[in-house]
Amino acid sequence: MKTIREYAILGERHDIMDALKLLTQAYINQCGISLGCRTIVYDAAESWQERLAWMDLPLSEMARKESLVCVMPFITSEYDPEEYDKYDITGMDKKELLDGCKQIIQEEIFDEATTEVLCWGLLKALERFEPHVQINEIIEAISSEGIPLKGILTKQQCCNTTIIMQQPYPDVWLYATELVRDARELLLKGYDDYRWLRSMESEIMALYPKYQKELENRKKGSNYRKLCTFDDVYGPLVRETVLLMPEKLIHEWFGLEFYDY
């Protein structure tokens, strides 16, 4: 019987779309059968999704922006959202994932090809548990005005690219709900968004009475609902920016107080 790593070596050679179809079919097979097995399959398939996101195939753009469950119906028509979206996955630590994968191999739950792509995807997924593989990469770019920009890339995966700008504006968090393959694009947009939002003082100040009134209306509500007041009032203004937590910037610039836990 092969080990997980031996299966993974074989799995890496598979076509990306074939691998995703096999794993989507395996996920369907485990709906209503095994939560743990379904979770292992899903985690493995996410690794193949990320591989797809780095390429230029028909589903690559969707793979960069959407969760795997949203992509599955486009991988195979066998995935019916009305039937399978009601099933969920669970949290599993590294040991639980490895032990579960070994059990899948021992019990021959899937065919050889599915087991191969499953093992490759799972080992890639397990890398997130290793601190030495975490991204901490310096990104540099030049703005249209010739200003040097610098940031630290901390995440670059499906549905999440995050940069902490260091220059010219230190410790400004930038976030995109997709895998941005060229992280410099996010850094450049963050710089432009910062300058644009800083110039919107009149609009920001004009909305503040509305914010205060809405927060007062929610004073007996949950902390979460009060926290959402900023998004509800200022969302139309800041939603298209890549600035994470723009309310903190607005507070620093103009001294406006916003609800926080």
Side-chain angles (χ1 to χ4, degrees):
M1 184 175 295
K2 299 184 188 74
T3 66
I4 294 176
R5 190 160 299 279
E6 288 171 336
Y7 272 116
I9 291 171
L10 297 172
E12 187 174 11
R13 304 171 187 171
H14 283 260
D15 174 80
I16 292 174
M17 297 311 301
D18 288 345
L20 281 167
K21 185 172 183 179
L22 287 170
L23 291 172
T24 300
Q25 291 168 330
Y27 181 88
I28 291 170
N29 177 265
Q30 292 302 305
C31 286
I33 303 297
S34 170
L35 175 62
C37 188
R38 192 164 67 244
T39 299
I40 293 168
V41 171
Y42 193 91
D43 282 1
E46 283 189 315
S47 298
W48 286 97
Q49 178 191 358
E50 186 156 331
R51 191 171 172 182
L52 171 63
W54 281 100
M55 302 186 75
D56 287 304
L57 296 175
L59 287 180
S60 291
E61 184 174 357
M62 176 181 283
R64 292 177 205 126
K65 299 178 180 181
E66 302 289 348
S67 63
L68 176 61
V69 72
C70 296
V71 182
M72 280 178 164
F74 297 89
I75 294 170
T76 173
S77 59
E78 295 176 45
Y79 188 94
D80 181 357
E82 290 190 6
E83 182 174 357
Y84 298 112
D85 278 2
K86 63 185 178 184
Y87 294 97
D88 206 349
I89 57 175
T90 189
M92 299 176 70
D93 61 27
K94 183 176 181 179
K95 184 178 185 303
E96 290 171 329
L97 290 167
L98 284 171
D99 287 347
C101 188
K102 290 174 185 176
Q103 185 176 353
I104 288 171
I105 293 172
Q106 291 168 357
E107 297 181 7
E108 298 181 342
I109 292 176
F110 304 122
D111 60 34
E112 287 284 301
T114 302
T115 303
E116 288 168 4
V117 298
L118 171 72
C119 289
W120 182 86
L122 183 64
L123 289 187
K124 293 297 291 184
L126 290 176
E127 289 181 1
R128 70 175 182 266
F129 292 95
E130 304 297 335
H132 66 276
V133 301
Q134 298 301 307
I135 298 177
N136 193 26
E137 180 183 345
I138 298 295
I139 301 296
E140 296 181 319
I142 302 294
S143 75
S144 57
E145 306 99 326
I147 304 296
L149 312 180
K150 183 182 291 187
I152 301 172
L153 176 66
T154 61
K155 285 191 177 181
Q156 192 177 29
Q157 59 193 42
C158 295
C159 302
N160 186 342
T161 303
T162 305
I163 292 175
I164 308 172
M165 187 188 294
Q166 298 296 301
Q167 182 181 327
Y169 308 119
D171 300 323
V172 175
W173 287 69
L174 313 175
Y175 172 73
T177 56
E178 65 177 284
L179 191 157
V180 181
R181 291 185 295 177
D182 186 347
R184 294 173 299 177
E185 295 176 1
L186 181 59
L187 184 59
L188 287 162
K189 186 170 189 332
Y191 169 78
D192 289 340
D193 286 352
Y194 182 101
R195 287 165 55 85
W196 172 81
L197 188 61
R198 184 67 177 81
S199 73
M200 299 295 287
E201 181 175 2
S202 297
E203 291 81 352
I204 290 169
M205 300 301 288
L207 284 171
Y208 194 60
K210 180 180 179 182
Y211 171 85
Q212 291 176 305
K213 182 178 180 180
E214 187 59 35
L215 185 62
E216 177 67 18
N217 292 338
R218 303 181 187 195
K219 66 180 180 180
K220 294 183 180 180
S222 67
N223 288 341
Y224 175 76
R225 190 159 179 265
K226 286 181 276 189
L227 193 64
C228 290
T229 307
F230 179 86
D231 288 337
D232 292 341
V233 175
Y234 282 92
L237 182 68
V238 303
R239 193 167 291 132
E240 297 303 315
T241 75
V242 297
L243 301 170
L244 191 61
M245 298 178 291
E247 62 272 31
K248 292 191 175 183
L249 293 173
I250 293 172
H251 169 71
E252 291 173 9
W253 296 336
F254 310 124
L256 302 183
E257 298 289 340
F258 298 105
Y259 177 83
D260 198 357
Y261 286 124

